[in-house]
Amino acid sequence: RRLTTDDLYKFNLVNLDPFTVTFNMHFYFQYMAQWPDFQKVMLSPSGTIMGYLIGKAEGTGENWHGHVSAVTVAPEYRRLGLARKLMD
């Protein structure tokens, strides 16, 4: 589903991992406001954030393209193909 502002206060399980780049809140809010369709989150059945993707569209004409700024999965949910699902 689409990443929401409430999710930003619940994704420490994912962001505190040493392999995950963490951005400031302004960065996340800017992406959510400008490119809402490129922000995704995956939740466990209990509602825990398992992983997320943030991206944007940039360029003009033939140089227009998508850019994935971050795709990350919490350590306990890795090796399940979640990052691949986020990219679909």
Side-chain angles (χ1 to χ4, degrees), residues 14-44:
V14 180
N15 270 11
L16 294 179
D17 176 70
F19 294 113
T20 299
V21 175
T22 302
F23 303 99
N24 63 43
M25 293 299 254
H26 175 74
F27 181 89
Y28 293 105
F29 289 139
Q30 178 183 357
Y31 270 59
M32 293 170 82
Q34 290 186 314
W35 305 283
D37 293 334
F38 295 104
Q39 320 315 311
K40 296 163 104 180
V41 65
M42 292 194 85
L43 303 175
S44 72

Side-chain angles (χ1 to χ4, degrees), residues 46-86:
S46 66
T48 301
I49 294 177
M50 299 186 295
Y52 68 87
L53 176 139
I54 58 172
K56 64 181 180 176
E58 60 186 6
T60 57
E62 290 184 20
N63 291 324
W64 185 88
H65 60 278
H67 174 87
V68 175
S69 298
V71 59
T72 188
V73 175
E76 55 270 28
Y77 295 106
R78 291 185 182 152
R79 311 291 298 166
L80 300 174
L82 299 180
R84 181 181 309 272
K85 289 179 183 178
L86 285 164

Side-chain angles (χ1 to χ4, degrees), residues 4-21:
T4 68
T5 54
D6 288 341
D7 293 327
L8 300 179
Y9 300 102
K10 301 175 188 172
F11 67 3
N12 280 344
L13 178 66
V14 180
N15 270 11
L16 294 179
D17 176 70
F19 294 113
T20 299
V21 175

